[in-house]
């Protein structure tokens, strides 16, 4: 049985996490943290009597194995330190940690002898796509990325597409994209170290990414589609199950996908 | 039985056309023209005895219904005039006619009372894609184009992609692509009147085009793949069968696809 | 201004329709019918004062141009007759009419000199897919269908896929699928007059259909994705705008897509 | 420098292999074997003077590192034994070995202390697809396979699709495909241990495979396209480069893809 504290339990992801815990046989909710939980009666939140509700980090937390954090950019750093100090392994889905904060947390985790996982993307299909793309690029250095999102997404390319390009470029031999002549500017897309990235924005679409590899007489394509954030819960479950096998505070769900 | 003269019969497309005629029940080869056919003995080219071989446009041609032209940019204009003068309907697959030459031929065709067809693209899948895309754009003004070609194709976007965008823009209400902020220049592709076009170049690929339409809660995608030029012969057959129903010299295979 | 009565206005599709009318400049809601609307005060439903609420078909309806029906299989036949009797053109999205009932309504519509539209599928992407597929099949008799739905959809193939196959088979020359030898039964899918249909059922998927055409050296693929029922409102708007141009009671949205 | 003997050097794959060796910097052709090479003068085959041509397995072969075999089903077993006996690591692309013969060769390889590689499929895109699919199935037990081939491929499903299903089923928890009701028999495809396989046969297509994974709110798709057998040479090169790192006679290119 894995004993879990959820930080940010009143938010949308926090609520989904409570549902996940309820549905998973070997998960047990033992605590729930939120600075604005002024009422510390667990029944008020529809939770079991023995769940500790707390709203500040001076409270001594109940004994737990994993601290799932879906709190706020402002709170996540202190939350993570608190979890590590109490030897509870943090699984952090909250965004907003700076590079310096991540470095500090890694050092502190080592000091405390407690591992953990910081997860920028809980979507398993996206994480697997990146993992496979990185592996395929060893054999197919010719690669382009197409990402497709709803029309309201202003920035292009998407963070996941850029992250995919970065991971591919780590293993890819310096290999520029082929020469070209654009008769209409921008046709060949954005350029990340020779990897061309194309961003489509259309209503109806949600969040999709394709990595296209081409070689003499053959092609390989990996595609992932995210339709909604329910998909993240599968990633949370894996993170919680696997964080115990880590030796240090690690970044990226791919590190616990064997 | 449709009686046919093939101009440029010694080239690669000309040879494929001879094969097509042989295989098609209601097609009959009656003449073959090439300026470099110094030997006018049909047997020398493996053709039936009664096929007229000729190498200049002063020869009086055999009576024929259709003149299929796969000759050269330098010769095609005179060839077309010659066919029209002799009341043989031209089906022209040779590229290189200028806008002025097309206009001149149209006028001359009217004068002669002979129709014909100039065909920039004999690939039925590409022509249907353009036709359907134009129709769909009435209902889905939000549209982007992705074309994918082998790495040796230098120019981007492809002529077919540009032609598709042009045809769509004729029916599409002025509708700009959504606002965006490129963190890496070129990500949102080329811009043709608000239609974004993305060009992929990878080894292994041949010639492919996708038109993506998005709307509230749904999407429509039309894709065509051209693997080789054998595909053009289906278009040639349709053009020959249908050119008789035209009233004037017309540009585009889509005009004989009902 | 098109004056509209909505039947079944309290259901989910009825509510979406009320929203559509509010957002569309030349649409005006004049009446709303539901047998269980015991309260006929329009304000109780958040509707304008001058909207007629009625709950039985003996009431004389307000003057209107179009009757949009999203009621129930039990009620739709009588509703449609009532609309026709009052010379209000019905646009019927309710399912459940039998072939006999459709025939009866057509005859009655002729008698009343009032046209209308029965719409089995308001999804424009699905309707265009069928329209284009039918047209492409003239040129590409070799065709297969793949439909993909969420895992809870029990029946296979889907109604839309079957309907697509039927429409294709009307124009396709008798052309059997190629010979084959299944080493694992069912691999080649279902057979509708030589058109093979494949049904995929997976969680995450919603409702998607692909029609694949193949020919010598080329391929053409048409795909549509339905993510939610919001997409239907675009079809409702088109039907309401175009029903006035029909001469009789007609089945299928494709008949008003020019 | 890797010294190579090519068995079956006069066939189509053998010739492609000679080209590969010529183009690869650290490959050197030292011998070429074919039972019907009655002329053992290397110049007769356009090969360098110092290449040993031989036509029987009693000849003592030139010293070599790797034996690439693209011979015949009838000859491959004896060829492989001959290579192992002479401590030349075989890379076998010839099909036709029975399970018993593979077992015998493995035992003999161990006896001789010589490793080697039997490769049912040299297509890197196909091998990577299988590898990734197997890995993804751990996280996405809901999976279906669609393979598409040219219309002349009689058997369905394809060997690669079946092989993919087998590999997936090794890691996938017993997980039946969802319940369904076929209104047209075969719609849900073939069934391999709960994995549904769909086979499309169309002209224009060559050899393509898609593995579709679905999960709550997301989807992952892996696709590979083989356009021609030139693609196999990349796999041959990898096999030759990596066979030296194997400890025993191994089956499957995936074993040398890190």
């Amino acid at each position: 049985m894995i004993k879990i504290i959820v930080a940010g339990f009143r938010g949308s992801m926090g609520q989904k996490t409570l549902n996940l815990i309820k549905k998973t046989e070997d998960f047990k909710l033992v605590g729930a943290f939120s600075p604005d939980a002024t009422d510390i009666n667990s029944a008020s939140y529809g939770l079991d009597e023995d769940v500790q509700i707390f709203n500040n980090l001076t409270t001594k937390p109940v004994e737990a194995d994993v601290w799932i954090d879906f709190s706020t950019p402002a709170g996540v750093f202190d939350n993570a330190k608190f979890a590590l100090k109490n030897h509870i392994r943090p699984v952090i889905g909250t965004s907003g940690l700076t590079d310096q904060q991540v470095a500090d947390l890694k050092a502190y985790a080592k000091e405390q002898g407690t591992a953990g996982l910081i997860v920028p993307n809980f979507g398993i299909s996206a994480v697997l796509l990146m993992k496979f793309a990185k592996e395929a690029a060893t054999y197919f250095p010719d690669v382009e990325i197409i990402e497709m999102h709803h029309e309201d997404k202003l920035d292009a390319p998407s963070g996941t597409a850029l992250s995919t390009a970065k991971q591919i470029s780590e293993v890819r031999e310096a290999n520029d994209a082929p020469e070209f002549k654009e008769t209409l500017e921008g046709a060949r897309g954005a350029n990340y170290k020779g990897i061309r990235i194309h961003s489509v924005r259309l209503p109806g679409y949600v969040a999709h990414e394709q990595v296209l590899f081409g070689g003499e007489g053959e092609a390989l394509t990996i595609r992932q589609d995210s339709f909604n954030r329910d998909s993240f819960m599968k990633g949370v479950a894996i993170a919680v199950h696997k964080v115990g096998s880590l030796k240090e505070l690690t970044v990226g769900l791919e590190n616990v996908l064997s």
Side-chain angles (χ1 to χ4, degrees), chain A residues 1-11 13-34 40-54 61-70 88 233 236 240:
Chain A
M1 199 62 117
I2 302 175
K3 285 173 285 181
I4 300 170
I5 293 173
V6 176
F9 76 101
R10 301 182 70 193
M13 292 303 286
Q15 289 292 309
K16 285 184 201 291
T17 304
L18 296 188
N19 276 334
L20 171 73
I21 293 171
K22 205 178 291 176
K23 288 191 320 190
T24 310
E25 254 183 55
D26 60 341
F27 284 2
K28 184 175 165 49
L29 182 73
V30 295
F33 169 74
S34 174
I40 61 163
N41 181 0
S42 59
S44 308
Y45 306 99
L47 298 174
D48 286 349
E49 209 179 325
D50 58 349
V51 174
Q52 180 195 33
I53 308 294
F54 60 116
V62 65
E63 198 194 325
D65 301 303
V66 176
W67 173 285
I68 302 179
D69 201 289
F70 282 114
I88 305 171
M233 287 302 118
V236 174
V240 172

Side-chain angles (χ1 to χ4, degrees), chain A residues 192-213:
Chain A
Y192 183 84
K193 300 193 179 177
I195 301 168
R196 311 302 303 193
I197 309 176
H198 312 270
S199 300
V200 173
R201 295 290 174 271
L202 284 171
Y205 282 74
V206 187
H208 319 258
E209 186 180 348
Q210 282 179 284
V211 187
L212 291 81
F213 296 95

Side-chain angles (χ1 to χ4, degrees), chain A residues 64-242:
Chain A
D65 301 303
V66 176
W67 173 285
I68 302 179
D69 201 289
F70 282 114
S71 60
T72 63
V76 58
F77 180 73
D78 287 339
N79 291 355
K81 278 198 86 160
F82 180 77
L84 291 166
K85 185 176 125 196
N86 288 286
H87 302 287
I88 305 171
R89 287 182 292 269
V91 167
I92 299 176
T94 316
S95 61
L97 287 172
T98 64
D99 288 354
Q100 184 57 51
Q101 287 179 319
V102 170
D104 288 354
L105 288 175
K106 281 188 173 188
Y108 187 64
K110 189 168 288 179
E111 212 177 297
Q112 294 293 317
T114 299
L117 192 61
I118 297 171
V119 184
N121 193 335
F122 274 114
I124 299 285
S125 62
V127 173
L128 286 178
L129 170 136
M130 282 188 263
K131 188 171 188 291
F132 296 159
K134 190 173 178 174
E135 199 170 332
T138 318
Y139 305 103
F140 290 105
D142 295 295
V143 53
E144 303 206 8
I145 297 171
I146 302 173
E147 52 94 347
M148 297 170 287
H149 281 83
H150 53 91
E151 84 224 277
D152 298 328
K153 186 174 178 60
L154 281 178
D155 55 307
S158 71
T160 311
L162 203 56
S163 178
T164 308
K166 278 181 188 165
Q167 294 204 33
I168 290 173
S169 72
E170 284 171 22
V171 299
R172 191 171 164 256
E173 302 161 42
N175 187 312
D176 267 1
E179 289 282 311
F180 58 85
K181 201 186 115 222
E182 283 179 348
T183 55
L184 217 52
E185 203 190 328
R188 290 287 287 117
N191 180 13
Y192 183 84
K193 300 193 179 177
I195 301 168
R196 311 302 303 193
I197 309 176
H198 312 270
S199 300
V200 173
R201 295 290 174 271
L202 284 171
Y205 282 74
V206 187
H208 319 258
E209 186 180 348
Q210 282 179 284
V211 187
L212 291 81
F213 296 95
E216 180 72 29
E218 66 182 327
L220 177 70
T221 307
I222 308 171
R223 174 181 177 136
Q224 71 81 221
D225 303 90
S226 296
F227 298 117
N228 60 56
R229 306 186 97 201
D230 291 343
S231 59
F232 292 173
M233 287 302 118
K234 188 199 282 261
V236 174
I238 291 170
V240 172
H241 277 125
K242 297 288 185 67

